[in-house]
Amino acid sequence: MTAAAHDRESARLFAEAQEVMPGGVSSPVRAFRGVGGTPRFMVEGRGARITDADGNRFVDYVMSWGALALGHAHPAVVEAITRQAGRGTSFGAPTALETALAKRIIAALPAVEMVRFVSSGTEASMSALRLARAGTGRNKIVKFTGCYHGHADALLVQAGSGIATLSLPDSPGVPPSAVADTLTAPFNDLAAVAELFDRHPGEIAAVTVEPIAGNMGLVLPAPGFLRGLRELTRKHGALLIFDEVMTGFRVAWGGAQLIYGIDPDLTCLGKVIGGGLPVAAYGGRRDLMEQLAPAGKVYQAGTLSGNPLAMAAGIATLDELSRPGTYDRLGALSAAVVESVRSAAAKAQVPVQTASVGGMWGFFLSTMPVTDYASARASDAAGFARCFHALLDRGVYIAPSAFEAGFVSTVHDEAALEETRVAFEHAMAAVTAPSRT
Ligand code: PMP
């Protein structure tokens, strides 16, 4: 493919990267396979905007896949990282920074009584699962089709995110034995979960769910769905795990569990709690958490877990986010973006479904309401690709996949919203235009 002037340097860097890294990337969705074209190599981010290697500037709605609730290079976060870097980047010994971040998380999430820090959401989910199995003495787990909990073997079953973007079946290399105890149900289908409990009495350790699904696009829980999961798990002696890696400190200060008033047994966190550095965590009931080594026997460890640089970034981020009005502002920004999507789609006569909650938003090109993975997949992916590229041409960067959510930050401003509104008018018109050859 010949590169146009506006992406020549990205194309050159991508070709070079593909020589030394599979697909040229460190994580699949970044490669633009879901939309075609050249992935943009980024060189700088400031506030709500990013700049690529060809000097193009974009209003960013990927925000490091939701991690950057304060935008890029927020002064408080940069200052915290810089200060800590001068004192050492890693000790492999305890620091007070871990306790400080743990206290903030525990104060925000009443169901979380203790926290263990890890370095990725994958680790958090995988470890929470191990703990749930140990805590119940049962092996089976229930996950939902189109939900993504990282790439641990047992959870890589009918997963969202990159698996959905690339239309992959489950991954080769995951042995059948690793997923033999993983049961799946459609998101929002309480009856299917009840049936699994009936079919496997006394065998299910936990139900794990993204309480607001963000890895098949943004799909909200139906009224009563999460409460129903809480009741079913209690009734059958299983644990309820909320994977709030994406939603924690993003949809509300107290996450989706605050919005829906549900206390899960275990919660997974990531993204925002690290302010753009690699931090994730899992936490929950004290009696469960104290089963973790060295307090208990369930093993889980990490060389860089609780890394001081990352803890400092997380503390600075949460302290900024704890200011009054933050989540009202994030919610208003998401609602404004979604309103632009809706009005542009109406003008171009493109059927669209939209949703937003706190700092998360999303849309599907679909005539039908989207409530689960099957209805998400029925949306117009080719139209999405045209929409995506038209947005990119107009300086708006959203996730290069129809099956990912959008993210705002506290520093998206009126100017950014107006650019976005105008860009969506062009993008929705492009959805119905004859495709580019
Ligand atoms: N759980 C959820 C809900 C996620 O959104 C993600 C990542 N998008 C993960 C787990 C995995 O996190 P990580 O990419 O940090 O391993």
Side-chain angles (χ1 to χ4, degrees):
M1 185 166 43
T2 54
H6 65 278
D7 63 6
R8 189 164 288 144
E9 183 61 7
S10 278
R12 191 189 70 73
L13 291 169
F14 189 41
E16 192 182 354
Q18 283 173 291
E19 291 298 315
V20 291
M21 294 182 287
V25 290
S26 300
S27 194
V29 181
R30 297 177 198 173
F32 274 31
R33 297 258 172 121
V35 291
T38 305
R40 303 306 175 84
F41 277 55
M42 297 304 166
V43 294
E44 191 177 89
R46 265 174 210 277
R49 289 178 163 78
I50 45 178
T51 307
D52 74 10
D54 292 279
N56 302 301
R57 289 187 85 214
F58 305 95
V59 178
D60 183 15
Y61 290 103
V62 176
M63 283 290 146
S64 187
W65 300 97
L68 300 175
L70 302 174
H72 294 273
H74 189 282
V77 179
V78 172
E79 209 264 327
I81 294 172
T82 310
R83 190 172 358 105
Q84 183 55 43
R87 296 175 178 167
T89 55
S90 186
F91 304 111
T95 67
L97 294 165
E98 292 152 73
T99 313
L101 185 55
K103 281 187 173 172
R104 284 162 172 76
I105 291 170
I106 288 165
L109 298 159
V112 174
E113 295 174 336
M114 296 187 103
V115 175
R116 167 61 60 84
F117 289 110
V118 290
S119 300
S120 71
T122 293
E123 264 187 287
S125 279
M126 177 186 83
S127 311
L129 188 58
R130 182 179 305 145
L131 183 57
R133 284 170 160 166
T136 56
R138 301 174 177 184
N139 288 331
K140 295 205 184 298
I141 54 151
V142 176
K143 81 172 282 292
F144 294 92
T145 313
C147 282
Y148 179 69
H149 306 288
H151 61 88
D153 281 355
L155 292 161
L156 213 51
V157 178
Q158 299 192 22
S161 193
I163 297 276
T165 302
L166 302 175
S167 295
L168 293 176
D170 301 331
S171 176
V174 174
S177 59
V179 294
D181 286 320
T182 305
L183 309 169
T184 58
F187 191 70
N188 276 331
D189 189 342
L190 212 47
V193 180
E195 201 182 307
L196 289 174
F197 274 111
D198 288 343
R199 216 184 307 152
H200 303 280
E203 290 184 89
I204 296 171
V207 173
T208 185
V209 65
E210 290 180 68
I212 295 168
N215 284 290
M216 49 178 138
L218 176 58
V219 180
L220 302 179
F225 175 61
L226 298 173
R227 185 154 304 284
L229 291 182
R230 181 63 283 186
E231 285 162 9
L232 275 173
T233 44
R234 279 225 172 94
K235 178 174 159 204
H236 293 279
L239 302 180
L240 180 61
I241 305 175
F242 270 14
D243 182 348
E244 298 226 41
V245 166
M246 190 180 275
T247 53
F249 294 95
R250 173 154 283 286
V251 295
W253 177 248
Q257 50 198 269
L258 174 86
I259 294 178
Y260 294 100
I262 307 288
D263 282 350
D265 301 292
L266 293 171
T267 298
C268 300
L269 296 165
K271 299 188 191 266
V272 172
I273 65 161
L277 270 71
V279 183
Y282 59 111
R285 279 168 34 197
R286 181 177 295 274
D287 64 303
L288 289 168
M289 294 304 290
E290 284 191 330
Q291 295 183 36
L292 283 175
K297 292 183 181 158
V298 181
Y299 197 71
Q300 184 270 308
T303 299
L304 292 177
S305 294
N307 171 266
L309 216 52
M311 295 290 111
I315 292 165
T317 298
L318 295 197
D319 285 350
E320 287 294 320
L321 289 173
S322 70
R323 291 172 193 268
T326 297
Y327 289 88
D328 289 343
R329 175 170 169 70
L330 289 175
L333 288 166
S334 294
V337 174
V338 152
E339 185 45 41
S340 292
V341 174
R342 256 200 305 258
S343 66
K347 208 180 271 184
Q349 297 191 320
V350 171
V352 76
Q353 307 292 326
T354 63
S356 74
V357 52
M360 259 169 104
W361 60 274
F363 69 94
F364 290 98
L365 301 177
S366 174
T367 50
M368 307 270 287
V370 175
T371 56
D372 60 11
Y373 189 49
S375 45
R377 288 230 58 114
S379 68
D380 175 8
F384 177 86
R386 291 195 289 278
C387 176
F388 171 84
H389 281 291
L391 288 173
L392 203 62
D393 290 346
R394 298 270 163 182
V396 170
Y397 188 81
I398 64 170
S401 164
F403 307 108
E404 300 284 355
F407 303 100
V408 293
S409 75
T410 52
V411 293
H412 279 74
D413 56 11
E414 281 305 317
L417 288 180
E418 179 57 16
E419 280 174 56
T420 305
R421 190 188 65 75
V422 173
F424 264 110
E425 297 227 325
H426 291 275
M428 285 300 169
V431 169
T432 48
S435 59
R436 303 189 299 187
T437 47

